[in-house]
Amino acid sequence: MAKIELIATAAFGLESIVARELKQLGYDDIIVENGKVILKTDELGICRTNLWLRSADRVLLRIGSFEARTFEELFQQTKSLPWEDWLSIDANFPVQGKSVKSKLYSVSDCQAIVKKAIVERLKETYNCNWFEESGPRYQIEVALLNDKVTLTIDTSGIGLHKRGYRKLAGQAPLKETLAAAMIQLSYWNKDRALIDPFCGTGTIPIEAALIAQNRAPGLKRSFAAEKWPQIPRGLWQEAWQEALDLWDRETTLNIFGSDIDPKALELARIHATEAGVEGLVHFQRLPVAEVRSRFSFGHLIANPPYGERLGEIDDVKGLYQELGETYKGLNNWSLHILTNFESPETLIGRRWDKSRKLYNGRLECHYYQFFGPRPPR
């Protein structure tokens, strides 16, 4: 199999989590940069990374990188790349782009030039003047940053946060990729209890169950690269079989979600069923002030209301105070909350131990972590 370079894109702040996931998959030759993790692998790596990455947005195949300050440089260097290695004669290859702090700032012009350069390259390869583009889709991206051009093909198709279980969306849904990252940053493990007291449509408890089962998050969906003839079907079957073999179906979990919105909880139960974890997570209609647990050690992991989406700021302050009182009653637990609400520790009643800047969509937030004691061995 050929050596290739992949780029796992990620929301800012989650790069280290994606790198950790890649190392757990056995990939050590990685480079972490802002918004992405780069790895060297082979065609099987396309299959495995798409199936297994929980916190990455997409997996891109890098075709080449170079500097370009003129359209002629962009055209010639794009044309010089071996596009025929991946684009068959019937390939459907739309081009999208972005440009940041670069002389070539017109994205539409860059897209058109890259498209033309690829066509000219394929004309020479296939001895053909017209391409119907009736075959598999290869979404190409031309990305310019400080005059450096990176050309990639998207192997994922729809974003990796689309696991295939959340077909019905509630109000202000939390992306599955961000929920998975929050859980991994908490260092929760399946031997402890987990409660999301603002669970909404159930994303955090469901992602926790998938992590606890060591279940590949991409098992219920498909990927763009599955249709590419350059990747033998046998490699996808090998990756699927590995994922099925590593799936721990026998684990017993104590994962709970509560909310005051009955419609959200109805969706949460549907999503849990779609995800195949309906017997592993438990949902209950309950205000945060009434959340209790019989377990001595555990984790509260939540994305509480911020103020913009569920009403007046005073109501939200009251919720955070109630969360603080609930947390005081869970003596040995840890609390992890993602919010853009300023200084939530003043309402919770305790200084946070760790804070990390993350983005919920385009909204800048902080992930505040209040650690409890380690359980006895």
Side-chain angles (χ1 to χ4, degrees):
M1 289 185 283
K3 280 292 180 183
I4 58 176
E5 197 169 68
L6 299 180
I7 299 173
T9 64
F12 287 109
L14 300 187
E15 301 92 344
S16 63
I17 298 299
V18 175
R20 185 198 304 175
E21 293 177 14
L22 287 167
K23 288 178 180 178
Q24 289 170 347
L25 286 173
Y27 299 109
D28 295 317
D29 191 2
I30 62 175
I31 299 171
V32 181
E33 297 182 0
N34 286 338
K36 60 187 175 185
V37 183
I38 303 165
L39 67 147
K40 292 182 180 178
T41 180
D42 52 26
E43 289 92 335
L44 179 60
I46 293 176
C47 312
R48 295 184 73 237
T49 53
N50 274 295
L51 273 171
W52 280 102
L53 288 179
R54 301 182 188 278
S55 302
D57 291 332
R58 294 179 182 276
V59 177
L60 308 178
L61 170 65
R62 174 139 71 180
I63 302 300
S65 296
F66 50 83
E67 289 190 357
R69 294 176 175 81
T70 68
F71 289 131
E72 181 64 18
E73 288 177 339
L74 177 62
F75 178 86
Q76 293 298 340
Q77 295 195 72
T78 299
K79 185 182 176 184
S80 70
L81 296 172
W83 293 100
E84 65 277 4
D85 289 351
W86 291 97
L87 302 181
S88 50
I89 193 169
D90 64 343
N92 174 18
F93 55 104
V95 179
Q96 64 182 19
K98 57 185 178 182
S99 180
V100 179
K101 298 179 181 178
S102 298
K103 287 184 172 61
L104 302 180
Y105 58 85
S106 172
V107 172
S108 59
D109 286 336
C110 291
Q111 291 173 170
I113 287 166
V114 166
K115 179 78 173 187
K116 182 179 179 182
I118 297 171
V119 168
E120 291 303 313
R121 172 82 183 201
L122 296 182
K123 281 182 180 179
E124 295 174 1
T125 301
Y126 295 117
N127 194 26
C128 176
N129 290 319
W130 177 256
F131 299 95
E132 293 188 0
E133 300 194 40
S134 58
R137 183 181 179 90
Y138 300 78
Q139 178 65 63
I140 294 168
E141 180 181 81
V142 49
L144 292 93
L145 175 62
N146 295 321
D147 297 322
K148 183 178 179 180
V149 179
T150 300
L151 291 164
T152 59
I153 307 177
D154 179 11
T155 73
S156 301
I158 59 174
L160 293 181
H161 70 284
K162 295 284 190 179
R163 314 290 207 216
Y165 67 77
R166 197 170 74 174
K167 299 175 181 177
L168 303 169
Q171 185 180 16
L174 182 71
K175 271 191 176 182
E176 295 87 334
T177 44
L178 181 53
M182 291 168 60
I183 295 161
Q184 293 180 92
L185 284 167
S186 77
Y187 287 97
W188 169 80
N189 66 66
K190 64 182 180 180
D191 296 326
R192 299 189 197 178
L194 183 153
I195 299 175
D196 178 357
F198 302 98
C199 72
T201 59
T203 306
I204 290 175
I206 291 170
E207 288 296 317
L210 297 179
I211 291 170
Q213 286 189 306
N214 195 34
R215 179 168 154 195
L219 273 174
K220 286 182 66 69
R221 55 160 288 172
S222 59
F223 307 96
E226 282 184 54
K227 297 180 180 179
W228 297 359
Q230 295 82 4
I231 304 177
R233 192 68 179 170
L235 294 183
W236 285 103
Q237 292 170 344
E238 181 181 341
W240 287 324
Q241 190 59 55
E242 176 193 37
L244 292 171
D245 291 343
L246 293 173
W247 181 357
D248 179 8
R249 296 172 174 82
E250 305 302 323
T251 190
T252 300
L253 302 173
N254 294 298
I255 299 175
F256 307 90
S258 58
D259 206 285
I260 59 171
D261 184 348
K263 291 183 179 179
L265 291 171
E266 183 179 351
L267 292 178
R269 295 185 179 99
I270 292 172
H271 294 159
T273 300
E274 288 290 330
V277 298
E278 66 273 16
L280 299 174
V281 297
H282 310 278
F283 295 105
Q284 183 178 9
R285 187 180 182 189
L286 201 66
V288 64
E290 296 179 19
V291 171
R292 304 286 186 272
S293 178
R294 68 181 188 274
F295 298 100
S296 299
F297 293 88
H299 292 256
L300 287 164
I301 306 178
N303 177 38
Y306 299 168
E308 298 94 339
R309 71 181 181 184
L310 289 182
E312 298 297 326
I313 198 70
D314 288 341
D315 293 336
V316 174
K317 284 183 177 179
L319 284 178
Y320 281 77
Q321 288 172 332
E322 291 175 0
L323 175 61
E325 290 301 314
T326 293
Y327 182 44
K328 288 177 186 176
L330 297 168
N331 294 324
N332 297 318
W333 282 52
S334 295
L335 170 65
H336 316 267
I337 58 171
L338 179 72
T339 181
N340 79 335
F341 192 85
E342 291 186 10
S343 304
E345 68 272 16
T346 60
L347 301 172
I348 290 172
R350 175 187 155 181
R351 172 72 174 177
W352 45 264
D353 297 295
K354 192 172 183 179
S355 172
R356 175 188 292 245
K357 184 164 68 174
L358 297 177
Y359 286 84
N360 188 357
R362 296 186 177 182
L363 186 64
E364 181 180 317
C365 299
H366 279 82
Y367 191 44
Y368 296 102
Q369 298 183 270
F370 307 78
F371 297 126
R374 291 180 179 272
R377 292 185 179 275

